[in-house]
Amino acid sequence: MINRSAPVFIAGHRGLVGSALVRRLTADGFTDVQTVGRKDLDLRDQAAVDAWFEVQQPRYVFLVAGTVGGVYANSIRPAEFLYDNLMIHGTVVQAAHRIGVKKLLYLGSSCIYPRHADQPITEEALLSGPLEPTNEGYALAKIAGIKLCETYRRQYGDDFISAMPTNLYGPGDNFDLEGGHVVPALMRRFHEARLAGEDSVAVWGTGTARREFLHVDDLADACLHLMDHYSAAGHINVGTGIDLTIRELAEAIRDLVYPGVKLEFDSSKPDGMPRKVLDVSRLSEMGWSASTPLVEGLTATYDWFLEAGRRGDLRL
Ligand code: GFB
């Protein structure tokens, strides 16, 4: 178990995952959770990151910062997704090594796996084939992050571990219609269509792509479980092991937000990976499994969206 009173740095605390980790660690009795805003520290700047670590001296690090977005944002901004993430992973890993951080957890993404990987995808599928072109930049940066953790462990003996989550959703997500992921984008589109009384709602792609969705609070719980119980080189998949089609997901969100409205599939927008579902047996063998059923998680996320909208607190 990691020490609950030691300083723990969450790199990326304003994002979907980082904000869930702040909630999880606080609930678990951590007394010294360190965070820093983007204005105060550019995580792409090695000298600035080194200086920050030198002063703050975190003992543990959750590296969950990065430039993120959905399939469309990835496809039109590949340079930013590659550069920003490569730099952020490099600077934080190096700074953590430099001051002798006791343990670091690096968060990757299931998009590291080849487009035609066997499903469900095992950890061994990494680097076994070509990547999905729509998110190749992001995937390459995420693969470099895994390899940083592995090589710092091998060369320097640093206890740096990696977790690969499946597609995530939950409170604190980015509800931007163009740049965000499918769950928040559809939730907002159905919501606005209901307010405007529209009789159909656009869903990108063909609706046949298959995805797995993990509630971000489950992910935060899994990250803490891994920090407490796992110290080895191999990256670990985090998911539910259950997938569904985008049509089925859209129908579930429609039933929750705007029952009865028609779905219009827009095949000019990319489907991305045809299917992406993780084999989660390694994590289950370590005693962890997801606990939030999809419809329950979507309902709670929609409630959060309504409440955050009333507070004027949404990332749009
Ligand atoms: O969430 P999403 O962008 O993640 O898209 P990816 C998932 C699926 O939902 C795709 C469809 O097949 C989309 O075509 N979809 C339907 C929509 N309507 C919408 C919509 O309004 N917005 C969005 N965004 N999708 C990302 C990667 O891909 O997943 C990242 O690009 C990252 O690199 C992330 O790994 C987890 O799974 O397709």
Side-chain angles (χ1 to χ4, degrees), residues 216-252:
V216 71
D217 287 342
D218 282 348
L219 174 69
D221 193 55
C223 289
L224 184 54
H225 187 84
L226 287 169
M227 265 299 214
D228 277 337
H229 303 293
Y230 181 71
S231 283
H235 60 281
I236 303 291
N237 286 345
V238 189
T240 62
I242 303 164
D243 66 344
L244 75 174
T245 64
I246 294 302
R247 175 187 284 278
E248 289 164 339
L249 173 78
E251 287 169 352

Side-chain angles (χ1 to χ4, degrees), residues 60-252:
Y60 300 97
V61 174
F62 288 88
L63 173 45
V64 301
T67 292
V68 298
V71 62
Y72 185 63
N74 268 271
S75 66
I76 60 169
R77 292 165 45 212
E80 277 170 71
F81 280 84
L82 179 55
Y83 176 80
D84 288 356
N85 291 305
L86 270 179
M87 296 305 285
I88 291 170
H89 303 158
T91 62
V92 175
V93 164
Q94 169 63 14
H97 163 69
R98 212 171 140 262
I99 68 151
V101 157
K102 277 176 84 75
K103 191 164 186 177
L104 173 148
L105 179 138
Y106 163 73
L107 195 77
S109 160
S110 58
C111 72
I112 58 161
Y113 293 117
R115 175 173 166 85
H116 295 299
D118 287 343
Q119 307 282 332
I121 312 175
T122 63
E123 285 85 355
E124 285 69 36
L126 179 64
L127 294 174
S128 63
L131 297 165
E132 155 62 35
T134 51
N135 59 30
E136 190 181 42
Y138 185 68
L140 285 168
K142 287 286 164 192
I143 293 170
I146 298 174
K147 294 297 170 188
L148 277 169
C149 293
E150 283 179 13
T151 54
Y152 275 62
R153 173 179 292 277
R154 194 181 329 139
Q155 185 174 343
Y156 306 120
D158 290 324
D159 192 2
F160 293 174
I161 61 171
S162 308
M164 295 306 117
T166 193
N167 288 43
L168 302 169
Y169 71 98
D173 213 337
N174 173 8
F175 284 80
D176 181 287
L177 289 173
E178 293 284 301
H181 290 100
V182 61
V183 169
L186 286 185
M187 225 167 239
R188 180 172 163 201
R189 213 174 293 130
F190 279 104
H191 177 77
E192 291 180 353
R194 179 167 60 82
L195 296 184
E198 284 161 14
D199 52 19
S200 69
V201 173
V203 180
W204 293 358
T206 59
T208 58
R210 299 186 68 90
R211 292 290 184 279
E212 170 192 13
F213 295 94
L214 178 71
H215 192 282
V216 71
D217 287 342
D218 282 348
L219 174 69
D221 193 55
C223 289
L224 184 54
H225 187 84
L226 287 169
M227 265 299 214
D228 277 337
H229 303 293
Y230 181 71
S231 283
H235 60 281
I236 303 291
N237 286 345
V238 189
T240 62
I242 303 164
D243 66 344
L244 75 174
T245 64
I246 294 302
R247 175 187 284 278
E248 289 164 339
L249 173 78
E251 287 169 352

